Amino acid sequence: MAGEGCLVANDWICGEYVRSRAQELTEATVQHVWITAVSVLIGLAVAFPLALLVRARPRLAAPVLGLTTVLYAIPSLAMFSLLLPFFGLSAALVVTGLVLYSLTILVRNILAGLAAVPDEAREAARGMGYGPGRLLWEVELPLAIPAVMAGVRMATVSTVALTTVGALVDYGGLGTLITTGLKSFFKAQVLTASVLCVLLAVTADLLLLWLQRLLTPWTRTPGTRIPGTRTRIRIRKAG
């Protein structure tokens, strides 16, 4: 058939490939999104208490940050090989490796966000009777959101890329299509899966940027009240 000409010719751009393999592409994309989202969410759940621990006990900063940096430096093939005896060839293997990779970005950004909270905001909250827990959740964390979300965005984009390595154990989402396409030199499959991977990263980053703006209206409007407090934060423009 004429429509199958690009498949026969093994062209890089082939609409017939997208049409005929739509289900396969959809399943790979869904798996890619699922692995990425779960990995980042678990990474955030682990990084947050680690960051609070480091802030409460500064002497732990060097070992915790050093360990997360070492983990990030481990090549993905070696990382998966080290985790293989514990998780076998499963999605859990890929997710665990991606969680470990995300910690170095997330822990550092959470710490940076909390450290950047103005002292006057803390003092004002304490003057209104805020205890440590309420101060953290209602004042410090809202003000730390820009730095935290910057870390989440970086970790997410990085995880979208690293998820492709999961193709080593057949849980790489679009990476599995890229790998099998490279082995058979199936041009349309390689290019289509690669483009979808890039689009996922860009889309995720834009969605998280929109969420950040939604959660931090005071960064756009000087004098906006922090949610849950009577404190107003005036943003001073640099220069």
Side-chain angles (χ1 to χ4, degrees):
M1 293 177 64
E4 297 178 353
C6 58
L7 285 175
V8 175
N10 195 24
D11 293 333
W12 284 104
I13 300 175
C14 183
E16 179 59 24
Y17 166 76
V18 176
R19 188 196 66 77
S20 62
R21 305 290 182 88
Q23 183 175 352
E24 183 180 21
L25 288 169
T26 299
E27 291 175 353
T29 301
V30 169
Q31 184 186 73
H32 207 110
V33 171
W34 177 81
I35 290 176
T36 298
V38 170
S39 300
V40 174
L41 288 174
I42 295 177
L44 194 57
V46 174
F48 183 66
L50 275 179
L52 293 182
L53 178 63
V54 168
R55 190 177 72 150
R57 300 188 178 183
R59 68 178 182 277
L60 296 177
V64 170
L65 296 179
L67 177 60
T68 59
T69 300
V70 168
L71 289 173
Y72 194 79
I74 298 175
S76 54
L77 181 58
M79 175 70 82
F80 289 162
S81 296
L82 291 171
L83 295 173
L84 187 59
F86 303 98
F87 299 99
L89 298 175
S90 65
L93 170 67
V94 179
V95 169
T96 302
L98 295 176
V99 168
L100 294 177
Y101 281 132
S102 71
L103 292 181
T104 186
I105 299 172
L106 294 174
V107 172
R108 290 176 185 273
N109 277 72
I110 293 172
L111 284 173
L114 293 174
V117 175
D119 289 335
E120 54 267 29
R122 291 191 180 94
E123 292 170 2
R126 291 191 185 103
M128 291 187 292
Y130 280 43
R134 191 178 178 192
L135 175 64
L136 172 66
W137 289 103
E138 296 189 13
V139 178
E140 292 180 310
L141 279 181
L143 290 175
I145 284 177
V148 174
M149 288 300 296
V152 173
R153 288 169 61 196
M154 287 189 289
T156 300
V157 171
S158 174
T159 302
V160 169
L162 288 171
T163 296
T164 59
V165 184
L168 293 170
V169 293
D170 203 29
Y171 286 96
L174 293 167
T176 302
L177 294 183
I178 294 173
T179 301
T180 56
L182 286 172
K183 289 179 179 178
S184 60
F185 199 55
F186 191 174
K187 295 178 181 178
Q189 180 165 303
V190 172
L191 182 61
T192 302
S194 299
V195 169
L196 285 175
C197 192
V198 172
L199 289 176
L200 276 183
V202 172
T203 301
D205 189 54
L206 291 175
L207 286 174
L208 288 171
L209 179 60
W210 171 79
L211 179 61
Q212 176 182 328
R213 289 176 59 83
L214 185 67
L215 294 174
T216 57
W218 55 87
T219 61
R220 304 190 304 275
T221 307
T224 302
R225 183 172 64 84
I226 303 173
T229 76
R230 297 173 183 172
T231 305
R232 291 181 179 271
I233 298 299
R234 186 170 296 279
I235 307 299
R236 290 178 291 183
K237 295 183 179 179

